[in-house]
Amino acid sequence: MIDPAYAQTMARYNRWQNDQLTPVLQALSPEELTKDRGAFFGSLLATANHLLWGDTIWMSRFDASVAPPAVPAKEHATLHPTIASWAADRFRMDGRISQWADRLRALDLREDLIWSSATLGREMRTPMTAAVVHFFNHQTHHRGQIHAMLTAMGQKAPVTDLAFMPEDA
């Protein structure tokens, strides 16, 4: 299904996307960031927080050295109260994702991922390949929501096409 090169490419894509998105979000006022825009999680900041929370929980499952999120699932959208604290944590998480992808081996992808789901209250098991694809797809999905909110506000949203990712990203 996938190989380590896929994860490495998608980790680069994730970082490139967040590197473009962060200054756009930082340029907005707190009111603009927290205004309910009718999206699934409401605001830009809540959606960005959900995405970062999701990345953190998945990375804690993929890499035991990564701590789970500091807030429970029901508080995911309030992970960070400001864009500044979000941006610092986002930067660190993007580095962790890249480090994990660079260490990933084909053998790691043949295993099942087993974790305890606090949301469902039970042990979960899924092929590692499916979990990794979901992880990166989840990022793209929610950044797409952020992109749509920015566009609806009249903001210039970043380029998102993987084909246009610079070689040095």
Side-chain angles (χ1 to χ4, degrees):
M1 179 180 205
I2 64 169
D3 62 11
Y6 166 83
Q8 293 159 6
T9 297
M10 293 308 294
R12 282 182 45 235
Y13 176 73
N14 170 68
R15 177 175 267 169
W16 174 57
Q17 288 298 289
N18 290 328
D19 284 352
Q20 291 184 93
L21 187 59
T22 298
V24 174
L25 295 176
Q26 288 173 320
L28 300 174
S29 71
E31 294 76 28
E32 290 173 308
L33 286 166
T34 57
K35 179 180 179 181
D36 188 335
R37 302 194 178 275
F40 192 81
F41 298 109
S43 72
L44 286 159
L45 185 57
T47 304
N49 273 326
H50 168 78
L51 176 50
L52 180 54
W53 189 95
D55 284 355
T56 305
I57 195 70
W58 280 105
M59 283 307 303
S60 73
R61 294 168 182 160
F62 297 158
D63 180 347
S65 73
V66 176
V71 301
K74 65 183 179 196
E75 297 174 27
H76 68 273
T78 61
L79 181 64
H80 289 283
T82 67
I83 200 63
S85 64
W86 173 87
D89 200 16
R90 178 77 264 173
F91 179 81
R92 284 189 295 274
M93 180 51 58
D94 290 346
R96 297 300 294 260
I97 293 168
S98 293
Q99 290 170 354
W100 164 79
D102 288 344
R103 290 190 315 269
L104 193 63
R105 302 167 303 156
L107 182 63
D108 300 327
L109 294 169
R110 288 197 197 128
E111 301 172 357
D112 279 354
L113 179 66
I114 302 168
W115 76 96
S116 177
S117 171
T119 303
L120 297 177
R122 64 184 174 91
E123 183 177 278
M124 301 292 294
R125 176 187 291 262
T126 192
M128 185 66 163
T129 53
V132 171
V133 168
H134 167 76
F135 173 66
F136 289 117
N137 189 55
H138 182 259
Q139 294 172 342
T140 301
H141 168 69
H142 289 300
R143 275 194 304 264
Q145 290 176 322
I146 292 170
H147 190 281
M149 286 185 270
L150 289 170
T151 302
M153 294 169 58
Q155 296 287 323
K156 182 167 173 45
V159 174
T160 60
D161 295 319
L162 182 61
F164 298 130
M165 180 171 62
E167 288 294 319
D168 62 347

